[in-house]
Amino acid sequence: MKTAVIYHSVTGNTKNMGEIIVQGMNSVQGVEARSFDIEHVDTAFVKEAKCVVFGSPIYAAHITGQMMNYLLAEAGKLELAGKLAGAYATAQYVHGGAELGIREMLDHCMVMGALTYSGGASWGKPVIHLGPVGIDHTLDIDQFAKNFEIYGTRMAQKAMELFA
Ligand SMILES: Cc1cc2nc3c(=O)[nH]c(=O)nc-3n(C[C@H](O)[C@H](O)[C@H](O)COP(=O)(O)O)c2cc1C
């Protein structure tokens, strides 16, 4: 089963965390996960995917303009309806708006007819409430990497449970 991560990233944090989500997804037997920058999305692959996760840096407590433009202009081509969808963010501050950005992406997925999911408290600790967040500059972002890997595994496991 194919699963995908689509991200916008300027200085690499969101790209790196997306690649860690992919590692977690690929640890689930039967899953083929790939990540794509918004400018290089393999649309055919994502159309076939049963789970799609979107990631953005946080700018001014929102997702980036580029990510919003991608969602508005291109995400309609991904056939998100009925797929499992999730979102993650990277930011500088714990109070910097990361979960607002995650909500923006999840809301968009819902509008497209996707089934939004994070695992929440159902898997126990770490409880990943809306989606994983990585904080850089004020903290060491690598300390959040394990949450991204676990999140990728949980998303892929749920996709297998629903669609395999
Ligand atoms: C123009 C700009 C605005 C930003 N605004 C915020 C913000 O509102 N809150 C926050 O926590 N971090 C903010 N940041 C920090 C980025 O979200 C953070 O460095 C992020 O990890 C960058 O992701 P990237 O390396 O994938 O580009 C901002 C960065 C830039 C360049």
Side-chain angles (χ1 to χ4, degrees), residues 8-15 57-62 90-97 134 136-137 141:
H8 177 231
S9 184
V10 176
T11 56
N13 290 331
T14 318
K15 175 180 193 285
I58 297 302
Y59 285 6
H62 291 274
T90 71
Q92 183 169 7
Y93 301 103
V94 289
H95 53 272
D136 199 17
H137 306 298
I141 198 166

Short mmCIF file of all heavy atoms in Angstrom, two decimals, residues 8-15 57-62 90-97 134 136-137 141, ligand 1:
data_model
loop_
_atom_site.label_atom_id
_atom_site.label_comp_id
_atom_site.label_asym_id
_atom_site.label_seq_id
_atom_site.Cartn_x
_atom_site.Cartn_y
_atom_site.Cartn_z
N HIS A 8 6.22 21.54 2.52
CA HIS A 8 6.97 22.71 2.08
C HIS A 8 8.08 22.92 3.08
O HIS A 8 7.87 22.77 4.29
CB HIS A 8 6.07 23.95 2.02
CG HIS A 8 6.83 25.18 1.64
ND1 HIS A 8 6.78 26.36 2.37
CD2 HIS A 8 7.69 25.41 0.62
CE1 HIS A 8 7.56 27.26 1.79
NE2 HIS A 8 8.12 26.71 0.74
N SER A 9 9.27 23.25 2.60
CA SER A 9 10.40 23.44 3.51
C SER A 9 11.40 24.38 2.87
O SER A 9 11.73 24.22 1.69
CB SER A 9 11.05 22.09 3.82
OG SER A 9 12.08 22.24 4.78
N VAL A 10 11.87 25.37 3.62
CA VAL A 10 12.87 26.32 3.10
C VAL A 10 14.25 26.00 3.67
O VAL A 10 15.23 25.93 2.95
CB VAL A 10 12.46 27.77 3.42
CG1 VAL A 10 13.54 28.75 2.96
CG2 VAL A 10 11.12 28.10 2.75
N THR A 11 14.32 25.79 4.99
CA THR A 11 15.63 25.56 5.61
C THR A 11 15.83 24.10 6.05
O THR A 11 16.82 23.78 6.70
CB THR A 11 15.83 26.51 6.81
OG1 THR A 11 14.76 26.35 7.74
CG2 THR A 11 15.89 27.95 6.35
N GLY A 12 14.91 23.21 5.69
CA GLY A 12 15.15 21.78 5.83
C GLY A 12 14.46 21.08 6.98
O GLY A 12 14.38 19.86 6.99
N ASN A 13 13.97 21.82 7.97
CA ASN A 13 13.38 21.15 9.13
C ASN A 13 12.15 20.32 8.76
O ASN A 13 12.01 19.16 9.20
CB ASN A 13 12.96 22.18 10.19
CG ASN A 13 14.15 22.83 10.85
OD1 ASN A 13 15.21 22.24 10.96
ND2 ASN A 13 13.97 24.07 11.28
N THR A 14 11.28 20.89 7.98
CA THR A 14 10.02 20.20 7.65
C THR A 14 10.30 19.03 6.70
O THR A 14 9.66 17.98 6.79
CB THR A 14 9.02 21.20 7.06
OG1 THR A 14 9.07 22.41 7.82
CG2 THR A 14 7.60 20.66 7.10
N LYS A 15 11.27 19.22 5.82
CA LYS A 15 11.71 18.12 4.95
C LYS A 15 12.25 16.97 5.81
O LYS A 15 11.86 15.81 5.63
CB LYS A 15 12.80 18.63 4.01
CG LYS A 15 13.44 17.58 3.12
CD LYS A 15 14.51 18.24 2.23
CE LYS A 15 14.97 17.36 1.10
NZ LYS A 15 15.86 16.28 1.51
N PRO A 57 6.22 24.48 7.55
CA PRO A 57 6.75 25.38 8.57
C PRO A 57 5.63 26.33 9.00
O PRO A 57 4.68 26.54 8.24
CB PRO A 57 7.85 26.17 7.85
CG PRO A 57 8.05 25.50 6.53
CD PRO A 57 6.79 24.78 6.21
N ILE A 58 5.79 26.91 10.17
CA ILE A 58 4.83 27.92 10.64
C ILE A 58 5.42 29.30 10.41
O ILE A 58 6.52 29.61 10.88
CB ILE A 58 4.52 27.70 12.14
CG1 ILE A 58 3.85 26.34 12.34
CG2 ILE A 58 3.65 28.83 12.68
CD1 ILE A 58 2.56 26.11 11.57
N TYR A 59 4.68 30.12 9.68
CA TYR A 59 5.04 31.52 9.46
C TYR A 59 3.90 32.38 10.02
O TYR A 59 2.75 32.25 9.59
CB TYR A 59 5.19 31.84 7.97
CG TYR A 59 6.44 31.32 7.28
CD1 TYR A 59 7.37 30.50 7.92
CD2 TYR A 59 6.71 31.67 5.97
CE1 TYR A 59 8.51 30.05 7.27
CE2 TYR A 59 7.85 31.23 5.30
CZ TYR A 59 8.75 30.41 5.96
OH TYR A 59 9.87 29.96 5.31
N ALA A 60 4.22 33.24 10.97
CA ALA A 60 3.22 34.14 11.55
C ALA A 60 1.98 33.36 12.03
O ALA A 60 0.85 33.78 11.79
CB ALA A 60 2.82 35.23 10.57
N ALA A 61 2.26 32.23 12.68
CA ALA A 61 1.21 31.39 13.28
C ALA A 61 0.25 30.78 12.25
O ALA A 61 -0.88 30.41 12.60
CB ALA A 61 0.44 32.14 14.36
N HIS A 62 0.71 30.68 11.01
CA HIS A 62 -0.06 30.01 9.95
C HIS A 62 0.87 29.07 9.18
O HIS A 62 2.09 29.16 9.32
CB HIS A 62 -0.62 31.04 8.94
CG HIS A 62 -1.69 31.91 9.49
ND1 HIS A 62 -3.02 31.55 9.51
CD2 HIS A 62 -1.64 33.15 10.03
CE1 HIS A 62 -3.74 32.54 10.04
NE2 HIS A 62 -2.92 33.50 10.38
N THR A 90 6.57 22.30 11.72
CA THR A 90 7.77 22.68 12.47
C THR A 90 7.70 24.18 12.71
O THR A 90 7.13 24.93 11.92
CB THR A 90 9.08 22.32 11.75
OG1 THR A 90 9.27 23.18 10.62
CG2 THR A 90 9.09 20.87 11.31
N ALA A 91 8.27 24.60 13.83
CA ALA A 91 8.16 26.00 14.25
C ALA A 91 9.34 26.35 15.14
O ALA A 91 10.16 25.48 15.48
CB ALA A 91 6.85 26.22 14.99
N GLN A 92 9.40 27.61 15.51
CA GLN A 92 10.50 28.08 16.37
C GLN A 92 10.12 28.07 17.84
O GLN A 92 10.96 27.85 18.70
CB GLN A 92 10.92 29.49 15.95
CG GLN A 92 12.10 30.03 16.73
CD GLN A 92 12.67 31.30 16.13
OE1 GLN A 92 12.10 31.86 15.20
NE2 GLN A 92 13.78 31.75 16.67
N TYR A 93 8.85 28.34 18.12
CA TYR A 93 8.41 28.49 19.50
C TYR A 93 7.29 27.51 19.83
O TYR A 93 6.42 27.26 18.99
CB TYR A 93 7.88 29.91 19.75
CG TYR A 93 8.89 30.99 19.48
CD1 TYR A 93 8.83 31.75 18.32
CD2 TYR A 93 9.92 31.24 20.40
CE1 TYR A 93 9.76 32.74 18.07
CE2 TYR A 93 10.86 32.23 20.14
CZ TYR A 93 10.78 32.98 18.98
OH TYR A 93 11.70 33.95 18.72
N VAL A 94 7.25 27.02 21.05
CA VAL A 94 6.14 26.15 21.46
C VAL A 94 4.82 26.91 21.40
O VAL A 94 3.76 26.33 21.20
CB VAL A 94 6.34 25.54 22.86
CG1 VAL A 94 7.42 24.48 22.84
CG2 VAL A 94 6.66 26.60 23.90
N HIS A 95 4.90 28.25 21.55
CA HIS A 95 3.69 29.07 21.48
C HIS A 95 3.57 29.74 20.11
O HIS A 95 2.87 30.72 19.96
CB HIS A 95 3.73 30.16 22.57
CG HIS A 95 5.00 30.96 22.55
ND1 HIS A 95 6.14 30.58 23.23
CD2 HIS A 95 5.34 32.08 21.86
CE1 HIS A 95 7.11 31.44 22.99
NE2 HIS A 95 6.66 32.36 22.15
N GLY A 96 4.27 29.20 19.10
CA GLY A 96 4.37 29.90 17.81
C GLY A 96 3.27 29.61 16.82
O GLY A 96 3.29 30.15 15.70
N GLY A 97 2.33 28.73 17.17
CA GLY A 97 1.18 28.51 16.28
C GLY A 97 1.19 27.21 15.51
O GLY A 97 0.40 27.04 14.57
N GLY A 134 7.65 19.79 15.57
CA GLY A 134 9.08 19.89 15.86
C GLY A 134 9.45 21.34 16.07
O GLY A 134 9.10 22.20 15.26
N ASP A 136 12.40 24.14 16.49
CA ASP A 136 13.80 24.39 16.20
C ASP A 136 14.20 25.76 16.74
O ASP A 136 13.34 26.56 17.12
CB ASP A 136 14.05 24.32 14.69
CG ASP A 136 15.52 24.09 14.38
OD1 ASP A 136 16.27 23.68 15.29
OD2 ASP A 136 15.92 24.34 13.24
N HIS A 137 15.46 26.04 16.75
CA HIS A 137 16.05 27.32 17.20
C HIS A 137 15.99 27.47 18.72
O HIS A 137 17.02 27.63 19.35
CB HIS A 137 15.39 28.53 16.53
CG HIS A 137 15.36 28.47 15.04
ND1 HIS A 137 16.49 28.44 14.28
CD2 HIS A 137 14.33 28.41 14.16
CE1 HIS A 137 16.17 28.38 12.99
NE2 HIS A 137 14.86 28.35 12.90
N ILE A 141 15.61 20.38 17.54
CA ILE A 141 14.51 19.70 16.84
C ILE A 141 14.70 18.17 16.82
O ILE A 141 13.72 17.43 16.77
CB ILE A 141 14.32 20.26 15.42
CG1 ILE A 141 12.92 19.87 14.88
CG2 ILE A 141 15.45 19.85 14.49
CD1 ILE A 141 12.49 20.63 13.65
C1 LIG B 1 9.07 34.44 7.77
C2 LIG B 1 9.10 33.46 8.92
C3 LIG B 1 8.08 33.48 9.85
C4 LIG B 1 8.08 32.59 10.93
N1 LIG B 1 7.05 32.63 11.81
C5 LIG B 1 7.05 31.77 12.87
C6 LIG B 1 5.97 31.77 13.79
O1 LIG B 1 5.01 32.53 13.67
N2 LIG B 1 6.02 30.89 14.83
C7 LIG B 1 7.05 30.04 15.02
O2 LIG B 1 7.06 29.29 15.98
N3 LIG B 1 8.09 29.98 14.12
C8 LIG B 1 8.10 30.82 13.05
N4 LIG B 1 9.12 30.76 12.13
C9 LIG B 1 10.15 29.70 12.25
C10 LIG B 1 9.90 28.52 11.31
O3 LIG B 1 8.57 28.04 11.38
C11 LIG B 1 10.83 27.33 11.65
O4 LIG B 1 12.17 27.76 11.59
C12 LIG B 1 10.61 26.14 10.75
O5 LIG B 1 11.15 24.99 11.33
C13 LIG B 1 11.23 26.32 9.36
O6 LIG B 1 10.94 25.19 8.57
P1 LIG B 1 11.87 24.74 7.34
O7 LIG B 1 13.27 24.53 7.88
O8 LIG B 1 11.26 23.48 6.85
O9 LIG B 1 11.81 25.83 6.33
C14 LIG B 1 9.13 31.65 11.05
C15 LIG B 1 10.17 31.64 10.10
C16 LIG B 1 10.15 32.54 9.06
C17 LIG B 1 11.27 32.48 8.03
#
